[in-house]
Amino acid sequence: MSDFVPREYKNIPITVRIHERKLNIINANVAKLSISRNDFINQCIDYALENMKLEDYDRSNKNDK
């Protein structure tokens, strides 16, 4: 029997609620790309964070698409 060596998780599990329409789009894309939903969402978040321009953000123009 090998020794158990505890390690830190690289990812932290969270819960996110999204609109059904967005989930349908995500599911369609992961099926086409043959990647996990988790990997796809993480890549989308990475892209958004790297390309976000907060100086252009207008609180009065916030909407949920």
Side-chain angles (χ1 to χ4, degrees):
M1 184 171 147
S2 63
D3 293 331
F4 173 72
V5 180
R7 293 185 177 88
E8 287 186 54
Y9 286 108
K10 289 187 178 191
N11 296 323
I12 299 169
I14 62 167
T15 300
V16 176
R17 289 173 173 72
I18 63 172
H19 290 275
E20 184 177 3
R21 182 183 66 80
K22 291 177 188 174
L23 181 59
N24 292 337
I25 293 169
I26 290 168
N27 288 338
N29 281 296
V30 300
K32 288 178 194 172
L33 298 168
S34 297
I35 63 174
S36 73
R37 186 188 301 156
N38 183 68
D39 285 343
F40 181 80
I41 292 171
N42 272 296
Q43 290 178 42
C44 289
I45 292 170
D46 288 343
Y47 179 83
L49 292 173
E50 290 169 7
N51 293 283
M52 210 158 66
K53 295 180 180 146
L54 290 178
E55 62 273 7
D56 296 339
Y57 182 69
D58 178 4
R59 280 192 179 279
S60 64
N61 195 20
K62 187 174 124 179
N63 60 15
D64 186 34
K65 294 182 180 178

